[in-house]
Amino acid sequence: MSITDNGSALIPYNSVDMATTPETSVAAQAKYEPVIGLEVHVQLLTVSKIFCSCSTHFGAPPNTNVCPVCLGLPGALPVLNRKAVDFAVLAAMALGCRINETSTFARKNYFYPDLPKGYQISQYDKPLAEFGKIDIATANGSKRIGITRLHLEEDAGKSLHEGFADSSETTAIDLNRSGVPLIEIVSEPDIGSPAEAHEYLTRLKEIILYTGVSDCNMEEGSLRCDANVSVRPRGQKQFGTKTEIKNVNSFRFIREALEFEIERQVGILESGGKVTQETRLYNSAEGKTYGMRSKEQAHDYRYFPEPDLLPLVVDEKWQAEIHSALPELPEARRKRIVADYGITEYDAHVLTATKSFADQFEAAAKAAKNPKRVANLVQGELMGRLKAKGLEIEQSPISMKGVALSADLVESGAISGKMLKDLYDRSFELGKDFGIVYENEKPQQITDSSAIEKIIDEIVAANPKQVEQYRAGKKTVIGFFVGQVMKASKGQANPQMVNELLTRKLEG
Ligand SMILES: [Zn+2]
């Protein structure tokens, strides 16, 4: 349920229970259905901690951001940080949760060295928010994953096992993290495969990033995930016995840990055994999970109401204030971008992967003379080149401003489509933005009408049949002539002038 005892993740309690290599057949796997629920902890980007005014800054020297409250000294009283509530409610709204006007804090009691008070302040029977959802894409279409609850809690400190003088013999404690605000987001057991778990986490992270309440930096522990998993014969309603995989630090590892664990559980059931309810750890180097503590050793947290904090009341007015800060969310934005710019859903996904990039794209599109042309260039010229080079859109040498500039140059006839393609190629070769490459290599365009007319005369003379067709009323033949003239000028003739001069010539 909690990440606060994550220090224990480093030492398996029960080393006798070693991982077994599961080798169940595909047929055996197909007989069973996995049931997965995820608990995600997200650190909120407040400047100060949840119950005191200490800084939340990551990377400060150990035990420098501490005070009597977050050190758990006797008599120190917690004071709730209003910003933490704002952020938690905003995240809950973005996840489609119902906000409970009144929620309460509770003490979750357990003993661990990184928890000086001997309890963690969390929320238990009256959480801040409930009944949310995330829609994920699956092979069989969209699937809704329920969110049971979202609640506020404080983080614990951190046990240090390395990086100081006698770390081979002792463990040190850093309490800078003690009291940093977290939200815990608990999903319903609606997730049916490791791939769905991965997709759920990806969407969850994307939504949280859009709200700006967390940086979701997994390396710094701003986003952490525990997974509950069980298997049951397909068609059976009753859940199988679950195990909990704790503290996996990347989405890929969660997927791998779940794959291993499902296979392990199926193997046990197939050989007539019983799955033991326990907490397990994932060793990413070996790709295996190991038993850490069984149910008999599980904590009894003895939750009780926190007597030092009043019930938290987020009334309608406050909720409305927070709601007004809710940005357009990724899913809605994707739908709108598809409609506004006429691009594919796939490209809309790429463009909206981060809020900052989607903002850049839309700002560029709006500033350009023809917004749709910007979208078309991103789709038609940029995406393919990125893919060919194996680059993410954030790594593109051509910025959104560069794309907008190129769109305007084509729009005004200053460069042709062919020149644009060449300039894009050059940008990718040099790793420089379009504007720089354009200034350096400003392609010479032929705008001298007599030079263009000379080419036109040659083309017209060489194609009498097409001239006849045109004059007989088949006006679309002009496309053929434009193509020929552009080709003859190596793409350098000003397309607008070519069009005008050709029309005049053919009409005459
Ligand atoms: Zn403090």
Side-chain angles (χ1 to χ4, degrees):
M1 188 72 189
S2 164
I3 41 74
T4 50
D5 38 352
N6 63 350
S8 53
L10 298 159
I11 315 146
Y13 281 29
N14 183 358
S15 53
V16 183
D17 173 46
M18 297 305 277
T20 44
T21 305
E23 276 179 15
T24 48
S25 67
V26 176
Q29 288 242 18
K31 264 170 64 185
Y32 294 89
E33 169 190 34
V35 177
I36 301 165
L38 298 174
E39 292 165 8
V40 176
H41 286 85
V42 174
Q43 185 185 323
L44 300 175
L45 271 178
T46 54
V47 176
S48 58
K49 294 185 181 181
I50 185 167
F51 299 123
C52 62
S53 58
C54 292
S55 166
T56 56
H57 181 69
F58 181 85
N63 301 306
T64 51
N65 294 333
V66 291
C67 74
V69 174
C70 56
L71 286 174
L73 300 186
L77 291 172
V79 177
L80 180 60
N81 179 343
R82 188 181 169 97
K83 199 75 204 165
V85 180
D86 285 344
F87 281 175
V89 172
L90 189 65
M93 285 172 170
L95 295 169
C97 292
R98 192 190 79 191
I99 310 299
N100 292 326
E101 186 167 300
T102 304
S103 62
T104 55
F105 287 97
R107 288 187 180 180
K108 179 180 181 178
N109 298 279
Y110 64 95
F111 173 78
Y112 204 75
D114 62 17
L115 191 73
K117 293 197 295 289
Y119 61 85
Q120 175 196 22
I121 303 178
S122 180
Q123 295 191 301
Y124 184 54
D125 52 349
K126 287 179 188 158
L128 179 70
E130 294 171 279
F131 312 117
K133 55 159 178 62
I134 293 179
D135 290 331
I136 62 166
T138 73
N140 306 316
S142 176
K143 179 175 175 181
R144 179 156 290 183
I145 308 296
I147 290 172
T148 317
R149 55 188 279 146
L150 181 151
H151 68 251
L152 266 168
E153 62 185 29
E154 61 176 339
D155 208 345
K158 207 173 173 180
S159 299
L160 304 177
H161 302 276
E162 53 192 17
F164 54 96
D166 49 354
S167 54
S168 57
E169 285 142 37
T170 54
T171 294
I173 305 288
D174 175 9
L175 291 171
N176 282 347
R177 207 177 66 181
S178 168
V180 162
L182 302 176
I183 46 174
E184 179 173 333
I185 302 154
V186 183
S187 87
E188 288 289 303
D190 292 342
I191 299 164
S193 69
E196 286 184 19
H198 190 275
E199 179 66 11
Y200 169 86
L201 290 168
T202 306
R203 296 282 82 83
L204 172 67
K205 183 179 167 187
E206 187 180 75
I207 293 168
I208 297 290
L209 283 173
Y210 260 65
T211 64
V213 305
S214 175
D215 59 18
C216 296
N217 184 333
M218 292 190 87
E219 274 114 66
E220 293 180 2
S222 303
L223 190 152
R224 290 166 259 167
C225 181
D226 301 335
N228 288 303
V229 54
S230 63
V231 297
R232 62 183 171 191
R234 282 191 193 279
Q236 181 182 302
K237 281 224 165 76
Q238 204 188 335
F239 291 145
T241 305
K242 69 178 178 185
T243 58
E244 185 181 23
I245 308 167
K246 286 191 94 67
N247 295 304
V248 188
N249 63 5
S250 86
F251 291 174
R252 182 166 67 89
F253 289 160
I254 286 166
R255 188 179 178 149
E256 289 173 7
L258 285 169
E259 276 161 4
F260 176 88
E261 189 55 22
I262 289 162
E263 213 178 324
R264 189 189 70 89
Q265 291 185 13
V266 168
I268 291 172
L269 296 179
E270 276 293 287
S271 62
K274 275 187 175 165
V275 174
T276 313
Q277 184 172 342
E278 63 183 348
T279 300
R280 298 180 69 86
L281 297 174
Y282 180 63
N283 181 321
S284 58
E286 294 175 31
K288 293 175 180 175
T289 64
Y290 288 88
M292 183 174 104
R293 55 175 183 243
S294 69
K295 199 185 174 190
E296 290 75 45
Q297 296 163 300
H299 291 126
D300 171 8
Y301 293 118
R302 294 176 297 112
Y303 279 98
F304 66 84
E306 165 60 64
D308 293 338
L309 288 163
L310 287 167
L312 169 59
V313 179
V314 185
D315 62 14
E316 264 181 48
K317 188 170 163 273
W318 192 2
Q319 286 187 38
E321 240 169 69
I322 298 169
H323 193 266
S324 68
L326 195 64
E328 183 181 28
L329 294 167
E331 207 46 53
R333 189 165 198 176
R334 272 195 274 283
K335 287 203 178 104
R336 186 178 55 73
I337 282 186
V338 167
D340 284 3
Y341 303 98
I343 57 173
T344 66
E345 253 176 65
Y346 175 82
D347 288 341
H349 254 276
V350 177
L351 289 171
T352 54
T354 68
K355 183 172 182 296
S356 102
F357 196 82
D359 289 347
Q360 283 173 47
F361 163 70
E362 289 214 81
K366 279 179 192 143
K369 293 192 184 93
N370 181 348
K372 266 203 175 153
R373 192 186 287 277
V374 174
N376 287 342
L377 286 179
V378 169
Q379 190 165 250
E381 302 297 338
L382 195 62
M383 295 293 193
R385 285 178 172 81
L386 289 171
K387 206 174 166 199
K389 282 224 166 187
L391 296 175
E392 296 295 326
I393 196 151
E394 294 85 3
Q395 300 166 303
S396 171
I398 302 180
S399 69
M400 282 298 114
K401 272 192 177 149
V403 176
L405 171 65
S406 71
D408 281 354
L409 289 169
V410 174
E411 192 72 21
S412 69
I415 60 169
S416 66
K418 166 83 168 60
M419 288 175 190
L420 176 132
K421 282 178 198 289
D422 291 345
L423 289 168
Y424 270 45
D425 285 341
R426 200 80 184 112
S427 282
F428 271 77
E429 267 169 48
L430 301 170
K432 285 183 179 157
D433 204 351
F434 179 86
I436 299 167
V437 174
Y438 175 71
E439 276 309 313
N440 287 345
E441 328 203 342
K442 216 171 241 174
Q444 286 311 306
Q445 206 181 35
I446 307 172
T447 49
D448 171 3
S449 62
S450 63
I452 295 175
E453 258 171 307
K454 193 169 163 264
I455 302 173
I456 287 176
D457 286 343
E458 280 163 22
I459 300 288
V460 167
N463 298 281
K465 216 172 117 198
Q466 279 81 357
V467 175
E468 214 170 288
Q469 284 176 348
Y470 182 89
R471 288 181 178 154
K474 201 178 171 200
K475 302 291 182 199
T476 49
V477 178
I478 194 153
F480 161 78
F481 284 107
V482 173
Q484 293 296 308
V485 175
M486 291 308 289
K487 204 171 154 193
S489 74
K490 297 191 174 65
Q492 291 182 338
N494 178 307
Q496 214 175 329
M497 291 180 73
V498 170
N499 248 308
E500 280 171 21
L501 294 169
L502 251 175
T503 309
R504 204 180 304 160
K505 177 89 188 168
L506 290 168
E507 297 288 341

